[in-house]
């Protein structure tokens, strides 16, 4: 079966002339660059360095489960207030955390200290912060959750858990784009 | 299909998700306590019991998976223009009872101030807000209509309460 597929695939490539081959390669590059453009464009529109995040833990259940997708904005003029779901980064940790703001103390000059907690956790996040860190500040925030789509992010979780699956998907997509003819 | 999805989105996106809430407080006191969970300095720690009366059942339309309710105390101190502290929260999932009638309820979280801003504070406002968690869509944050303001006493309480 796989031999047959292989033959088909090679046959397809052999039947293309050079011009067509270049065209398909360029087409592939076009898709990659427009995906990049969309991502970068979203970064500009939302003001967040990562406008879409996948929920990786159960600490916000039952609101968000593993694999749910969140759309973020991070406009500086929107104030951070209690009850908001923020995505923040902690020094020394790669993975951003999605939790809810529990208390804020804001000075007249706008400098803000706030504390977060996961809905499903029984204690606040001071244990998660860097050693000695008691409060988060605006600079720690990656974005605030604005939109919610369930389950969609499970694909990326699968891809991270099983790298072979990721390469398989990428290879299939790549081959499809290269040999697909309108 | 895309049109249908969009219509579904429109059918709930303009909801204000607004409801009336009646709040009140019972016994209010303030102590000066060392906060070992944070700066390990002495800070003002408030104690309140609160009353809450609200019917949030009408908020549950087809695109509401869960409500996250939170009771906020908002006040101003000398050092900080705006302080907001969540004292109590509650997750209400679809199918749960969304009618609340609490009397003299205890707070779920400690009411720590950042420093010494609670003793004699003349205006602390309680409000109930909710974050609507949809099946899919936006995540609106709504402040309930109705608030309650109270005053902290001018002296620290000694003893347990």
């Amino acid at each position: 079966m796989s031999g047959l597929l292989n033959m088909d695939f090679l046959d397809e490539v052999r039947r293309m002339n050079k011009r067509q081959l270049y065209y398909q390669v360029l087409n592939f590059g076009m898709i990659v660059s427009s995906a990049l453009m969309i991502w970068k464009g979203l970064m500009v529109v939302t003001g967040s360095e990562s406008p879409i995040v996948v929920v990786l833990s159960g600490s916000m259940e039952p609101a968000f489960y593993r694999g749910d997708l969140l759309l973020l904005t991070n406009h500086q003029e929107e104030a951070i207030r209690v009850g908001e779901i923020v995505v923040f980064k902690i020094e020394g940790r790669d993975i951003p955390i999605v939790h809810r703001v529990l208390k804020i103390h804001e000075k007249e000059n706008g400098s803000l200290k706030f504390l977060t907690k996961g809905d499903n956790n029984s204690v606040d996040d001071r244990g998660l912060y860097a050693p000695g860190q008691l409060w988060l500040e605006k600079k720690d925030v990656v974005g605030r959750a604005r939109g919610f789509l369930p389950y969609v992010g499970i694909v990326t979780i699968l891809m991270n858990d099983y790298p072979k699956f990721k390469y398989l998907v990428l290879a299939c997509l790549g081959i499809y784009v290269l040999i697909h003819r309108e | 299909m895309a049109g249908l999805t969009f219509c579904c989105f429109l059918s709930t996106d303009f909801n204000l998700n607004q409801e009336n809430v009646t709040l009140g407080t019972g016994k209010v006191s303030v102590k000066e306590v060392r906060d070992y969970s944070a700066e390990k300095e002495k800070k003002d720690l408030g104690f309140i019991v609160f009353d809450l009366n609200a019917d949030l059942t009408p908020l549950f339309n087809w695109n509401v998976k869960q409500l996250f309710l939170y009771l906020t105390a908002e006040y101003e101190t000398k050092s900080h223009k705006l302080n907001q502290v969540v004292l109590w929260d509650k997750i209400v999932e679809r199918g749960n009872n969304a009618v609340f009638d609490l009397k003299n309820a205890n707070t779920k979280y400690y009411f720590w101030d950042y420093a010494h801003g609670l003793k004699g504070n003349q205006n602390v406002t309680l409000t109930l807000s909710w974050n609507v968690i949809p099946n899919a869509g936006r995540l609106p944050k709504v402040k309930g209509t109705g608030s309650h303001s109270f005053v902290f006493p001018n002296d620290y309480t000694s003893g347990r309460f």
Side-chain angles (χ1 to χ4, degrees):
Chain A
M1 184 64 192
S2 75
L4 201 71
L5 275 174
N6 241 334
M7 286 300 287
D8 269 0
F9 160 66
L10 285 177
D11 216 35
E12 195 86 46
V13 173
R14 208 173 295 132
R15 266 195 286 134
M16 293 181 185
N17 57 30
K18 259 193 179 151
R19 185 185 286 263
Q20 266 173 323
L21 201 68
Y22 289 145
Y23 177 73
Q24 295 292 29
V25 170
L26 284 176
N27 211 0
F28 184 65
M30 187 95 140
I31 288 170
V32 171
S33 49
S34 39
L36 195 70
M37 270 169 68
I38 291 172
W39 181 251
K40 292 284 176 189
L42 272 179
M43 277 172 73
V44 172
V45 172
T46 61
S48 169
E49 58 183 278
S50 90
I52 298 173
V53 295
V54 176
V55 178
L56 294 174
S57 84
S59 63
M60 285 297 280
E61 284 175 22
F64 307 143
Y65 289 87
R66 241 171 94 82
D68 291 349
L69 204 73
L70 294 178
L71 308 174
L72 311 182
T73 64
N74 196 17
H75 301 299
Q76 289 310 308
E77 65 272 14
E78 293 171 27
I80 293 175
R81 292 292 175 258
V82 141
E84 193 126 33
I85 298 164
V86 294
V87 180
F88 56 90
K89 270 190 174 153
I90 298 294
E91 262 174 71
R93 281 174 185 260
D94 300 332
I95 300 169
I97 303 173
V98 184
H99 279 176
R100 196 184 293 276
V101 177
L102 188 68
K103 59 201 288 189
I104 66 159
H105 298 290
E106 189 174 49
K107 287 192 176 172
E108 197 136 16
N109 63 13
S111 80
L112 176 75
K113 289 184 168 180
F114 65 96
L115 177 66
T116 53
K117 174 183 171 290
D119 289 0
N120 199 21
N121 296 348
S122 50
V123 291
D124 63 46
D125 286 347
R126 285 209 168 115
L128 292 174
Y129 299 165
Q133 183 179 14
L134 295 172
W135 303 95
L136 293 178
E137 287 167 38
K138 279 180 189 163
K139 64 174 169 52
D140 301 313
V141 175
V142 177
R144 308 110 197 249
R146 288 280 172 263
F148 167 73
L149 277 176
Y151 312 121
V152 184
I154 202 77
V155 183
T156 60
I157 290 189
L158 281 176
M159 283 186 184
N160 278 330
D161 288 357
Y162 307 100
K164 276 181 188 160
F165 174 69
K166 174 163 70 183
Y167 297 131
L168 184 77
V169 171
L170 286 178
C172 288
L173 282 177
I175 288 171
Y176 174 76
V177 170
L178 280 177
I179 67 170
H180 174 76
R181 278 190 271 186
E182 278 96 65
Chain B
M1 191 64 190
L4 185 70
T5 315
F6 192 65
C7 287
C8 288
F9 168 73
L10 284 185
S11 76
T12 58
D13 198 54
F14 293 114
N15 285 354
L16 292 173
N17 298 308
Q18 192 56 257
E19 280 304 322
N20 289 321
V21 177
T22 315
L23 289 161
T25 45
K27 194 176 153 105
V28 173
S29 60
V30 57
K31 281 176 78 171
E32 191 185 33
V33 183
R34 206 171 285 279
D35 181 5
Y36 286 103
S37 74
E39 291 89 347
K40 300 190 173 57
E41 284 163 16
K42 282 198 165 185
K43 297 200 271 183
D44 281 7
L45 174 60
F47 293 94
I48 68 164
V49 289
F50 67 96
D51 306 333
L52 164 66
N53 199 304
D55 179 6
L56 304 177
T57 322
L59 293 178
F60 280 91
N61 61 45
W62 69 270
N63 196 15
V64 176
K65 180 171 81 174
Q66 180 211 305
L67 293 178
F68 182 85
L69 311 182
Y70 52 101
L71 182 76
T72 312
E74 191 173 318
Y75 58 98
E76 191 183 329
T77 61
K78 281 203 186 82
S79 56
H80 292 86
K81 182 85 185 142
L82 177 72
N83 302 270
Q84 290 182 320
V85 179
V86 172
L87 299 179
W88 176 87
D89 61 22
K90 176 92 182 155
I91 292 169
V92 187
E93 288 185 87
R94 169 176 293 280
N96 288 5
N97 179 20
V99 181
F100 291 89
D101 188 14
L102 303 177
K103 282 269 172 295
N104 285 327
N106 286 313
T107 58
K108 186 171 161 186
Y109 305 108
Y110 284 116
F111 192 170
W112 289 106
D113 180 43
Y114 189 76
H116 292 89
L118 292 185
K119 187 179 83 163
N121 198 312
Q122 291 302 304
N123 188 9
V124 181
T125 307
L126 285 183
T127 48
L128 186 77
S129 318
W130 41 88
N131 183 206
V132 180
I133 315 283
N135 294 316
R138 294 197 310 133
L139 295 159
K141 213 162 57 106
V142 185
K143 192 186 264 187
T145 321
S147 62
H148 173 77
S149 297
F150 65 95
V151 173
F152 270 110
N154 288 319
D155 298 301
Y156 291 124
T157 316
S158 51
R160 264 199 87 237
F161 251 88

